[in-house]
Amino acid sequence: MAPRTRTGSGCLSRGLLLLWALLGTGQCHMGAEAEPFSQDARTSSPVRALNWTAQLVEEMYTNNTQKCWEHFVNLMSNVTTSELCEWKVISRPYSMLQECLEAWAEYLQYGYPNALAEQYIFQSHHRYFHNCTVEHRVLFDPPEDVLLALIIAPICLIPFLVTLVIWRSKDGKAQP
């Protein structure tokens, strides 16, 4: 038996999704007589089908992202409380959640980042990582007046040192 080769690039699955959406809304009836197109039919029917399809895509994305969240919660149940803030431990489940949310958005052409994906990310931080603090001190820029003094001091010191070198070398004697 010959191996099956993959044909197409996913357009077939999108076409089937659209056909399913049309069958589900009653836009496509088998055995019904075709009505002549009027101006209203040409403009209103595709828009109505597109809106319903958008609702379907949103519903599918919502259902699939809920499964992503459940998988993340399952993975995080294996992490102890003391390990919740260790990136080596949580990076895999966290990255899997993000990749799952992004992959479903791309597959359904839903757009990423989106409000639902952000909600899951915020929920993960609120539920698991809200007690994580930085172990070492975060360094900040100094105040502007201190920064200005640190910049101007060497600039003013250079002409003084150049003047001192020139003044000491004027007597012409070689210094040992």
Side-chain angles (χ1 to χ4, degrees):
M1 193 169 189
R4 287 182 66 176
T5 59
R6 184 175 179 193
T7 57
S9 64
C11 292
L12 181 63
S13 63
R14 285 190 213 120
L16 289 174
L17 179 64
L18 181 59
L19 180 63
W20 180 67
L22 291 175
L23 286 172
T25 61
Q27 295 291 326
C28 181
H29 295 285
M30 295 190 65
E33 290 185 27
E35 297 177 14
F37 284 103
S38 66
Q39 182 64 27
D40 292 338
R42 280 182 285 179
T43 58
S44 64
S45 181
V47 171
R48 187 174 58 204
L50 181 62
N51 288 340
W52 199 89
T53 304
Q55 287 177 335
L56 176 67
V57 168
E58 186 171 348
E59 184 178 329
M60 290 174 63
Y61 184 71
T62 302
N63 293 337
N64 288 318
T65 54
Q66 179 63 35
K67 292 176 186 172
C68 295
W69 174 253
E70 290 168 0
H71 181 65
F72 173 74
V73 169
N74 185 33
L75 290 173
M76 291 302 289
S77 67
N78 298 327
V79 178
T80 64
T81 307
S82 62
E83 296 176 326
L84 279 178
C85 297
E86 292 183 32
W87 181 245
K88 293 176 191 174
V89 176
I90 63 167
S91 66
R92 184 170 180 254
Y94 189 81
S95 296
M96 288 176 72
L97 173 65
Q98 183 181 1
E99 289 170 6
C100 184
L101 296 171
E102 190 172 351
W104 277 112
E106 184 177 329
Y107 179 74
L108 296 172
Q109 296 181 346
Y110 189 67
Y112 187 87
N114 55 58
L116 188 58
E118 287 179 2
Q119 181 182 0
Y120 282 118
I121 297 296
F122 287 141
Q123 187 175 353
S124 71
H125 284 256
H126 180 71
R127 185 171 177 178
Y128 295 104
F129 313 124
H130 67 280
N131 285 331
C132 295
T133 57
V134 181
E135 292 178 9
H136 53 85
R137 220 174 125 218
V138 178
L139 301 176
F140 295 103
D141 288 338
E144 286 186 26
D145 53 346
V146 174
L147 186 62
L148 187 62
L150 290 172
I151 292 172
I152 292 179
I155 292 173
C156 293
L157 190 60
I158 290 172
F160 172 74
L161 292 175
V162 169
T163 305
L164 184 64
V165 168
I166 292 174
W167 179 68
R168 293 290 289 161
S169 64
K170 277 194 169 188
D171 62 359
K173 296 180 184 176
Q175 298 291 329

